[in-house]
């Protein structure tokens, strides 16, 4: 009443410690900032709107809210193509998914140049679309693997991806032929190993998966084999541990610069995400 906001219906439910709220308000009240502030205060946590307000007729509109993710993320990336190559065979992606999750990946196509880039792009595009549609897990990779097996020519790709749950601070790693990944923490650097064949090479894809609990300030880094072949997993770990910065872009630049200095002979990519 104080802000002259009229709400004629409110439905709230909770699931897995998250709140979901549906409101019916006057259409004129939809754009009032105080409405969001009142919702946060009443529920005792930060909420965010889901989609746009839906007109109901009669001067009313429906609004939906869900719990705001507890954490945020910032990221950086650095890449360099193989000397003499027309195109970078490494393809990278960072995408926000629904339900407070962040998807990022590096896909390294077989060989180098245009064919490698085309294979990587096709594979990663399929993965992105499945995840955006709400599919997750081994079933997604099995479907993509079978599609690649049906191609008229060999199309092998090393797929290295991570999905960070920004509500629970959990990093879910999925690897199919991908090299090691790294987590730079406050007091150490953890190496996430891999033991799975590339996608598209055998009929049944069996990915390597692992879950890691993160803390605010931790940085997750994915790299392609061009960097690992040049520096080694232990070398990358040492570089990250000695780095005085936790800025994702700076860390990617440092790692790529060291790999280039050591004479990296393949496409090289580093992508890093910091939990904040």
């Amino acid at each position: 009443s104080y802000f002259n906001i009229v709400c004629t219906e409110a439905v709230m439910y909770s699931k897995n410690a998250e709140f979901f709220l549906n409101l019916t308000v006057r259409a004129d009240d939809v754009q009032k900032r105080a409405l969001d502030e009142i919702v946060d205060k009443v529920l005792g946590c930060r909420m965010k709107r889901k989609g746009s307000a839906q007109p109901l007729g009669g001067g009313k509109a429906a609004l939906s809210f869900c719990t705001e993710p507890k954490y945020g993320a910032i990221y950086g990336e650095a890449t360099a193509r193989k000397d003499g190559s027309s195109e970078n065979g490494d393809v990278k992606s960072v995408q926000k998914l629904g339900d407070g999750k962040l998807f990022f990946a590096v896909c390294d196509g077989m060989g180098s140049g245009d064919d490698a880039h085309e294979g990587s792009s096709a594979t990663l595009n399929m993965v992105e679309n499945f995840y955006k549609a709400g599919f997750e897990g081994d079933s997604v990779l099995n479907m993509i693997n079978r599609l690649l097996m049906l191609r008229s020519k060999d199309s092998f790709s090393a797929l290295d991806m991570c999905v960070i749950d920004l509500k629970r601070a959990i990093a879910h790693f999925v690897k199919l032929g991908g090299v090691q990944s790294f987590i730079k923490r406050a007091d150490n650097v953890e190496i996430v190993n891999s033991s799975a064949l590339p996608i598209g090479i055998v009929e049944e894809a069996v990915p390597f998966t692992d879950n890691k609990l993160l803390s605010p300030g931790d940085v997750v880094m994915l790299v392609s084999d061009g960097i690992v072949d040049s520096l080694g997993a232990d070398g990358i770990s040492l570089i990250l541990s000695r780095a005085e910065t936790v800025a994702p872009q700076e860390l990617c630049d440092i790692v790529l610069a060291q790999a280039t200095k050591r004479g990296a002979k393949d496409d090289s990519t580093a992508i890093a995400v910091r939990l904040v």
Side-chain angles (χ1 to χ4, degrees):
S1 297
Y2 183 84
F3 292 100
N4 188 28
I5 294 175
V6 176
C7 176
T8 58
E9 186 176 79
V11 178
M12 189 273 286
Y13 66 97
S14 63
K15 179 180 179 182
N16 298 327
E18 295 181 52
F19 290 126
F20 299 88
L21 175 68
N22 296 321
L23 298 179
T24 299
V25 299
R26 290 185 307 193
D28 292 342
D29 295 332
V30 169
Q31 299 303 323
K32 292 183 179 179
R33 184 174 180 178
L35 176 59
D36 301 72
E37 296 173 350
I38 293 169
V39 167
D40 291 351
K41 183 176 180 179
V42 170
L43 293 181
C45 63
R46 292 187 62 185
M47 302 287 288
K48 68 174 183 178
R49 297 193 185 195
K50 292 180 62 178
S52 304
Q54 301 298 314
L56 297 177
K60 296 181 180 181
L63 284 173
S64 296
F65 295 81
C66 63
T67 307
E68 181 83 21
K70 185 176 181 180
Y71 303 97
I74 55 177
Y75 80 97
E77 58 185 47
T79 187
R81 67 187 181 192
K82 179 181 178 181
D83 286 344
S85 179
S86 60
E87 189 63 85
N88 194 328
D90 295 344
V91 177
K92 57 193 180 305
S93 175
V94 179
Q95 301 284 339
K96 282 186 176 181
L97 304 176
D99 200 26
K101 294 180 180 179
L102 180 72
F103 166 95
F104 59 110
V106 175
C107 190
D108 183 3
M110 179 182 64
S112 60
D114 294 339
D115 288 342
H117 180 80
E118 180 186 350
S120 297
S121 297
T123 300
L124 193 51
N125 186 56
M126 284 189 285
V127 174
E128 286 178 358
N129 288 336
F130 275 114
Y131 269 83
K132 287 178 181 178
F135 296 95
E136 293 185 27
D138 295 356
S139 59
V140 171
L141 298 178
N142 281 328
M143 286 188 285
I144 295 171
N145 188 68
R146 295 192 178 203
L147 289 173
L148 293 176
M149 294 287 290
L150 293 174
R151 285 193 166 197
S152 58
K153 60 179 180 178
D154 293 337
S155 182
F156 308 149
S157 296
L159 179 63
D160 201 354
M161 65 185 191
C162 180
V163 178
I164 297 181
D165 187 331
L166 297 176
K167 296 178 181 178
R168 299 185 296 161
I170 295 177
H172 178 61
F173 293 88
V174 180
K175 295 175 177 289
L176 275 163
V179 293
Q180 296 92 335
S181 300
F182 306 85
I183 304 175
K184 178 178 171 63
R185 304 187 187 274
D187 55 354
N188 65 70
V189 175
E190 182 177 356
I191 299 176
V192 181
N193 289 301
S194 174
S195 58
L197 292 172
I199 193 167
I201 200 169
V202 293
E203 186 172 349
E204 294 294 331
V206 183
F208 169 88
T209 61
D210 199 1
N211 290 326
K212 298 291 183 180
L213 183 64
L214 303 178
S215 298
D218 287 352
V219 179
V220 178
M221 177 175 281
L222 305 182
V223 298
S224 64
D225 60 359
I227 288 181
V228 174
D229 291 345
S230 175
L231 300 173
D234 291 336
I236 298 171
S237 178
L238 183 61
I239 292 170
L240 292 176
S241 65
R242 289 180 174 177
E244 297 180 356
T245 180
V246 290
Q249 186 59 57
E250 293 181 13
L251 290 173
C252 289
D253 291 339
I254 290 171
V255 169
L256 181 63
Q258 288 296 319
T260 303
K261 184 178 179 180
R262 296 284 184 89
K265 298 179 180 180
D266 198 358
D267 298 321
S268 301
T269 299
I271 184 168
V273 173
R274 183 187 179 204
L275 191 72
V276 296

